[in-house]
Amino acid sequence: MSDSAPISVLWPDPSPGPVDDDTLIARYARADRPHLRMNFVTSVDGAVSLDGYSAGLSGASDKRVFGLLRMLCDALLVAAGTLRHERYRAIRLDERRRAWRRAHGLTEYPTLVVVSGSLNLDPAQAAFADAPVRPVVLTHRNAAAPPGLTDVADLVRHGDDRVDLVAGLAELHRRGLGQLLCEGGPHLFGALTAADLVDEVCLSIAPLAAGAGPGRITAGAPSPARSLPLRHVLRADDGTLLLRHARH
Ligand SMILES: NC(=O)c1ccc[n+]([C@@H]2O[C@H](COP(=O)([O-])OP(=O)(O)OC[C@H]3O[C@@H](n4cnc5c(N)ncnc54)[C@H](OP(=O)(O)O)[C@@H]3O)[C@@H](O)[C@H]2O)c1
């Protein structure tokens, strides 16, 4: 994968040429405290999708970093909307990445955490039914679970009639899931930003203009702007820019 998707560091320490996975892992290192990292891909004109899906924006270099970020996290947080729309399958890592996790004292696979207010979820979806680690569904106390969901996932309830994300993430931390990677989508990103829970945004910018129509990578009720300083800029041979912005 790394050979087919060469990536160089532009800033802060420019590399003379493409870098290996160890260099990328150091650039995206796990934090020394509970941490929420968002990962999105967008077009140069700010689209969240192409023809309704993120796949059209995601080239080989974005996929390379996407996979590395999955390898580095304790839990993968995703909104129910994106899980349903993108037809999420079970999180699988190849043997090389599982070996890296074992060598670093992590479980073989990260835990999938699905955020849903309605619990309109299909227990037969492969993300649940084939999961190598029992997934968690973060919901609220009034949500009614469909038949079979508790057979394939733990339901964690915070909030009376809407999900209390602050309390929910604190519970994930208590369960040992400190390094959280969130793959969206836009409504969850908007809500996490409003709750001031976002520590980092990793953004791939694909070299194309999607044109009018698609939304942004964030959505929902307006909230105050948050400062997120630039930490690195990577450039891929396929023309994708890979940015990392983080509070710390
Ligand atoms: N470019 C990218 O990197 C990227 C990444 C991800 C997604 N996408 C795209 O984004 C689109 C999907 O977006 P979407 O509008 O469906 O947004 P979304 O944020 O993926 O999903 C919205 C749904 O997720 C659940 N949810 C989100 N925030 C919640 C909260 N604070 N509390 C409780 N539940 C919450 C709710 O599910 P319930 O209805 O079950 O309550 C809500 O209806 C797709 O086109 C997808 O391809 C792009």
Side-chain angles (χ1 to χ4, degrees), residues 80 84 115-121 139-140 143-146 163:
R84 290 186 292 254
V115 181
S116 172
S118 72
L119 289 184
N120 174 20
L121 299 169
T139 189
H140 57 78
V163 180

Side-chain angles (χ1 to χ4, degrees), residues 40-41 48 52 79-82 84 86 115-118 183 185-188 191:
F40 278 96
V41 61
V48 71
T82 291
R84 290 186 292 254
E86 300 265 350
V115 181
S116 172
S118 72
E183 295 180 354
H187 284 91
L188 182 56

Side-chain angles (χ1 to χ4, degrees), residues 179-191:
Q179 304 295 305
L180 303 176
L181 169 67
C182 180
E183 295 180 354
H187 284 91
L188 182 56
F189 185 21

Side-chain angles (χ1 to χ4, degrees), residues 111-130:
T111 302
L112 177 68
V113 180
V114 179
V115 181
S116 172
S118 72
L119 289 184
N120 174 20
L121 299 169
D122 178 3
Q125 183 171 346
F128 296 113
D130 295 342

Side-chain angles (χ1 to χ4, degrees), residues 25-232:
I25 290 166
R27 293 244 60 98
Y28 290 101
R30 287 165 58 89
D32 57 3
R33 65 188 95 178
H35 188 87
L36 175 62
R37 161 184 283 168
M38 309 296 304
N39 186 32
F40 278 96
V41 61
T42 186
S43 60
V44 287
D45 54 355
V48 71
S49 59
L50 201 62
D51 300 325
Y53 295 91
S54 56
L57 299 168
S58 178
S61 60
D62 175 62
K63 289 189 175 70
R64 180 178 173 193
V65 170
F66 182 94
L68 280 179
L69 297 188
R70 282 188 166 191
M71 181 185 82
L72 291 166
C73 72
D74 296 322
L76 174 58
L77 202 63
V78 65
T82 291
L83 179 98
R84 290 186 292 254
H85 184 78
E86 300 265 350
R87 297 188 183 88
Y88 262 52
R89 292 181 293 185
I91 302 169
R92 297 280 170 198
L93 304 178
D94 64 24
E95 173 48 31
R96 197 171 47 104
R97 290 187 172 149
R98 295 204 304 279
W100 187 94
R101 289 179 64 89
R102 284 193 301 271
H104 290 81
L106 307 179
T107 55
E108 283 223 328
Y109 297 93
T111 302
L112 177 68
V113 180
V114 179
V115 181
S116 172
S118 72
L119 289 184
N120 174 20
L121 299 169
D122 178 3
Q125 183 171 346
F128 296 113
D130 295 342
V133 176
R134 190 172 162 84
V136 170
V137 176
L138 190 54
T139 189
H140 57 78
R141 281 182 277 276
N142 277 336
L149 187 61
T150 54
D151 294 340
V152 292
D154 284 350
L155 267 55
V156 170
R157 296 177 185 270
H158 285 284
D160 290 331
D161 49 15
R162 53 191 302 186
V163 180
D164 181 336
L165 291 169
V166 173
L169 265 55
E171 169 139 7
L172 296 178
H173 298 159
R174 280 196 298 278
R175 290 176 172 224
L177 305 174
Q179 304 295 305
L180 303 176
L181 169 67
C182 180
E183 295 180 354
H187 284 91
L188 182 56
F189 185 21
L192 291 166
T193 304
D196 201 15
L197 289 166
V198 176
D199 297 303
E200 175 174 335
V201 176
C202 297
L203 185 66
S204 300
I205 303 177
L208 57 87
R216 290 172 55 199
I217 60 171
T218 191
S223 64
R226 313 283 183 195
S227 171
L228 272 179
L230 181 65
R231 300 297 175 186
H232 75 218

